[in-house]
Amino acid sequence: MNLSIRLKLSTMMFLEFFIWGAWFVTMGTFLAQAFSATGAQTGMAYNTQAIGAIVAPFIIGLIADRYFAAQKILGMLHLIGGVLLWFAATSASFDAFYPYILIYMLLYMPTLALVNSVAFRHLPDPAGQFAQIRVLGTIGWIVAGLVIGNLGWESKNVLHYTFQMAAVASIALGLLSFFLPDTPPAVDKNSNVSVRDILGLDALALLKDSRYLVFFIASILICIPLAFYYQNANLFLNDVGVENAASKMAYGQVSETLFMLLLPIFIIRFGIKISLLVGMAAWVLRYVLFAYGDAGDKAWMLILGIVLHGICYDFFFVTGQIYTNYKAGEKIKSAAQGLITLATYGIGMMIGFTLAGMISDKYTADGVHAWFNIWIIPAAIAAAVLVLFLVSFKDEKVSAENIRH
C-alpha cells in the first residue's frame, strides 16, 4: 500500500473516532453538571445516536452513493458538524443544546459508513489490511478519554471543553477529507433506487432461517442493556468518586483491541453460539460488578467492569457481524450488514436509551442516584436475553475463510 495513502486513511480513522469519543462518553456527566438534566433528557440526548443510525442509510443511499464522491461529502459533513458541536458547547440550557446534538448526529452517523467506504476502495487487500487501518479509530477513542481524564475536565466541571475539542477535530477531519484519495459514487445516479434497496430489506430473507431469526431478535434485545452503559457509566463513575473516570473508561477500548485478536481463534474453536453467549454473560457480569462496586475497597470491581468491554463488544457484536456475513452470502452481504446495524444501533439502542432514562429517573431522588437499582435492572435484562438465546439458538460452525472475508 502507498505510504501516503496509508497515513491519510489512518489519520482519517483516528480523527473519526477521536471526535465521537471526545464527547459521547462524558455527555451524561456534562448534562447533569451543566443543566441538571433528568434521566429522560439524558436518554433523549443519547437517542440521537439511534435516530442518526436509522436516518444514515437514506443519506448514504440517496446522496453519497449516487451524486458525490465519498471523501467530499465526508468533508462537508464534518465541517458542518464542527460548527454544530461548537454551538452545542456554548448552549445555556438543555432545550438549546438538544437541537444541535440531534442535527449533529444526523450528520455524523453517515460518516461511519463513509470512512469505511473510502478505506475499502483504496486498500489492495481489504480483508487483510482493513483491521490495520480501523485500529487507529480505537486508538483515537482511547486518546480522547485520556485527554479528558488527565486534564481533569470532569472534576473541574468544564466538560463543555469536550465538545469544543471535538469541534476542532471535526473541522480538521473535514479539511483533511478533501485531500483523501478520490472515491467517486459507486452507483449510477440515473439508476432506479427504492426504499427497499436503501434499507437493505432484501436481507429480510435471512429471517426465514430460524437460527438467524433468534440471533436477530437477541441482537436487538441485548442493545437495551448496552444503552445503560453508554448513557450512565461515566456519570456513575464520577458520582461515586472515581478519579479521572474518562481515562479509566478508555481501558475498555484497550481491552476491545486485545480481544479482537483472540476472537477469530475463539470462534473457530468453540463456535458461534458459545462466542455470543460469552459476550452476553460479560454484560451480566459487568452490571453486577457496577451494582456492587464502589470507589473504595471495591474499586477493582468497577475497573473489571470497564475492562470487560472488550468481551462485551467483541464477542457479541463483532461475532454477530461475522455470523451475518457468513449467513448472507455475496448477493445480499452489504444489505445484511446494513439491516443488522439498523436493528441494533437504531431500534435496539433507541429502546435502551429511552428505558435507561426512565429507570434513572425512577431511582433518583433529590439528585442522588440509587445506582444499585439502576445497574441491576440491565443485568437482569441481559441475563434474560442470555437464557432465551441459550435455549433457542442452535450452534453453527464458521470456518476461518468465512471469518477472514
Side-chain angles (χ1 to χ4, degrees):
M1 186 196 318
N2 180 289
L3 180 59
S4 175
I5 292 177
R6 185 186 186 93
L7 289 174
K8 288 178 180 178
L9 295 179
S10 297
T11 304
M12 173 189 73
M13 282 295 184
F14 178 90
L15 290 173
E16 175 75 13
F17 288 91
F18 176 89
I19 293 164
W20 197 3
W23 64 270
F24 191 76
V25 173
T26 56
M27 181 169 65
T29 305
F30 165 76
L31 294 174
Q33 292 178 349
F35 309 133
S36 299
T38 65
Q41 288 175 322
T42 304
M44 283 177 59
Y46 275 100
N47 249 331
T48 59
Q49 173 195 282
I51 296 171
I54 293 171
V55 172
F58 289 95
I59 294 178
I60 299 300
L62 284 175
I63 301 174
D65 278 350
R66 297 168 64 81
Y67 297 104
F68 301 99
Q71 82 279 5
K72 291 181 180 179
I73 193 167
L74 178 68
M76 290 304 302
L77 291 176
H78 275 298
L79 289 174
I80 298 170
V83 174
L84 290 168
L85 285 172
W86 192 271
F87 280 118
T90 58
S91 299
S93 66
F94 179 82
D95 289 340
F97 170 85
Y98 180 75
Y100 289 125
I101 210 64
L102 172 61
I103 298 170
Y104 174 75
M105 287 306 274
L106 291 175
L107 300 180
Y108 177 81
M109 293 306 288
T111 68
L112 296 172
L114 287 170
V115 294
N116 287 345
S117 177
V118 171
F120 277 121
R121 292 274 288 275
H122 299 282
L123 293 174
D125 176 21
Q129 296 174 329
F130 180 72
Q132 301 169 19
I133 301 297
R134 175 57 182 82
V135 73
L136 268 295
T138 302
I139 293 172
W141 188 291
I142 293 170
V143 170
L146 293 176
V147 170
I148 295 167
N150 290 329
L151 292 178
W153 287 349
E154 296 154 290
S155 60
K156 295 175 183 176
N157 197 4
V158 290
L159 283 173
H160 60 280
Y161 289 159
T162 64
F163 292 91
Q164 292 175 338
M165 178 172 69
V168 172
S170 184
I171 291 171
L173 179 51
L175 295 174
L176 169 67
S177 296
F178 291 100
F179 297 94
L180 292 172
D182 186 36
T183 312
V187 179
D188 184 351
K189 66 180 180 181
N190 295 316
S191 63
N192 293 325
V193 64
S194 65
V195 172
R196 183 180 184 85
D197 295 327
I198 294 169
L199 294 180
L201 296 184
D202 286 337
L204 288 174
L206 286 174
L207 302 184
K208 295 178 182 178
D209 183 322
S210 60
R211 293 179 180 180
Y212 192 80
L213 178 61
V214 171
F215 161 74
F216 187 82
I217 294 171
S219 295
I220 294 175
L221 294 178
I222 203 68
C223 279
I224 297 173
L226 166 63
F228 280 75
Y229 179 77
Y230 286 140
Q231 183 168 318
N232 291 324
N234 186 260
L235 176 61
F236 161 66
L237 294 172
N238 279 283
D239 202 25
V240 299
V242 174
E243 295 183 1
N244 301 330
S247 292
K248 290 182 172 62
M249 287 184 70
Y251 299 164
Q253 276 62 50
V254 175
S255 167
E256 179 186 329
T257 303
L258 295 175
F259 279 107
M260 189 79 74
L261 300 174
L262 298 175
L263 183 61
I265 301 172
F266 194 94
I267 293 175
I268 294 170
R269 175 66 179 83
F270 296 103
I272 288 291
K273 183 173 184 176
I274 296 299
S275 300
L276 292 170
L277 286 171
V278 167
M280 293 180 187
W283 283 108
V284 179
L285 178 58
R286 158 182 269 181
Y287 290 138
V288 170
L289 289 169
F290 279 3
Y292 286 96
D294 58 42
D297 294 339
K298 298 177 181 177
W300 65 269
M301 299 176 76
L302 304 185
I303 298 301
L304 179 57
I306 293 170
V307 172
L308 279 172
H309 181 75
I311 300 177
C312 291
Y313 184 82
D314 291 341
F315 278 71
F316 191 87
F317 290 97
V318 178
T319 298
Q321 291 166 4
I322 292 170
Y323 182 55
T324 297
N325 188 70
Y326 163 70
K327 296 293 284 186
E330 290 299 326
K331 186 175 180 181
I332 59 170
K333 187 175 292 186
S334 296
Q337 293 293 345
L339 182 64
I340 195 66
T341 299
L342 177 67
T344 52
Y345 285 97
I347 298 170
M349 295 289 274
M350 181 172 287
I351 298 170
F353 285 131
T354 302
L355 181 61
M358 294 169 58
I359 295 300
S360 294
D361 281 339
K362 179 177 176 62
Y363 292 105
T364 301
D366 299 323
V368 178
H369 296 83
W371 285 114
F372 177 86
N373 303 80
I374 292 172
W375 289 125
I376 210 67
I377 290 174
I381 295 172
V385 177
L386 185 152
V387 172
L388 172 67
F389 188 79
L390 176 64
V391 300
S392 303
F393 185 80
K394 295 181 179 179
D395 199 10
E396 291 188 75
K397 288 288 185 179
V398 177
S399 69
E401 185 70 15
N402 288 124
I403 291 174
R404 180 175 174 79
H405 297 291

